[in-house]
Amino acid sequence: MKKTMLCVLLAVSVLLSAFAANREFAIQGNSGVSLDKAIDIALAHAGASDSDVTITKTQSDFDDGIPVWEIDFIANGQIYEYEILATNGGIHQYSGKLTNMYFNGGFGQTKKINKENAKSIALEHAGLTNLPVRIVKAKIDNDDGIKIWEVDFIANNAKYEYDILASDGSVLEYSVEEIRTATGIVFNN
């Protein structure tokens, strides 16, 4: 009985190890997009060069069954998180936020940026000033005594979320996520 149980546990362990290895191999071997290529795509999109970047995470993963490369790095005073499609190198989603060393917000600040300014700043940062967008949310929030505009909008088949410092209009954090339709993924910037 003990030998049988030990054999079963050993077999399950071997199968789980093989599955994990095949999962990694499936992304690397069959994708056509290597980890190095995915890093190059993320860095180019962020406007960062190899010499100015500290990579903090690289791993293969699946997002809703879609194989992706997860790449996190620090560059230009921001922390970036990217998911690059392992199948074709498209950008699945990305986000960026200011690192603490570049943020000089304070308590009790007065609101200087209004709602329209905040929306304009977000659209300009996203490069969407001349495209139709649908604003989903534009509201002021108080985050630990710091006034922040939260601006969310939809454009180019993607959802954009921005946090903008109300005192000076600095983009503190942003994210972009594709919107999937019944016909598949439509965002691939």
Side-chain angles (χ1 to χ4, degrees):
M1 176 77 167
K2 288 183 182 179
K3 286 183 180 180
T4 304
M5 190 63 146
L6 184 60
C7 287
V8 168
L9 288 174
L10 183 60
V12 168
S13 174
V14 168
L15 287 173
L16 288 175
S17 296
F19 173 74
N22 281 340
R23 179 174 177 233
E24 184 80 18
F25 176 76
I27 289 177
Q28 291 181 31
N30 297 328
S31 71
V33 178
S34 68
L35 174 58
D36 288 339
K37 178 66 176 167
I39 290 171
D40 290 344
I41 292 166
L43 295 182
H45 187 266
S49 64
D50 288 337
S51 61
D52 301 331
V53 171
T54 302
I55 295 181
T56 58
K57 174 183 167 187
T58 59
Q59 82 177 44
S60 59
D61 200 2
F62 287 87
D63 186 3
D64 295 330
I66 299 170
V68 295
W69 288 108
E70 292 182 356
I71 301 164
D72 298 356
F73 57 94
I74 300 170
N76 308 322
Q78 293 197 52
I79 300 169
Y80 293 93
E81 297 177 356
Y82 274 82
E83 286 187 5
I84 305 296
L85 294 170
T87 54
N88 64 10
I91 297 172
H92 184 55
Q93 68 184 48
Y94 64 95
S95 66
K97 63 182 174 182
L98 288 176
T99 62
N100 287 339
M101 64 184 181
Y102 286 87
F103 176 59
N104 295 319
F107 293 97
Q109 60 188 335
T110 58
K111 183 174 79 169
K112 295 180 182 177
I113 304 297
N114 65 29
K115 182 188 281 189
E116 292 307 313
N117 294 140
K119 290 192 287 190
S120 294
I121 290 167
L123 293 174
E124 184 176 331
H125 185 271
L128 299 172
T129 54
N130 294 325
L131 294 175
V133 299
R134 183 168 61 98
I135 302 291
V136 177
K137 173 173 77 173
K139 71 172 191 155
I140 192 89
D141 193 16
N142 194 337
D143 189 3
D144 295 326
I146 299 169
K147 293 187 185 329
I148 295 172
W149 281 103
E150 296 176 352
V151 180
D152 298 356
F153 55 93
I154 296 173
N156 271 351
N157 298 313
K159 180 179 179 190
Y160 296 76
E161 296 178 352
Y162 275 81
D163 288 348
I164 297 170
L165 188 59
S167 63
D168 68 3
S170 298
V171 175
L172 298 176
E173 187 171 352
Y174 65 94
S175 66
V176 180
E177 187 171 347
E178 69 193 0
I179 296 175
R180 298 179 192 182
T181 65
T183 59
I185 299 169
V186 293
F187 169 70
N188 190 14
N189 244 359

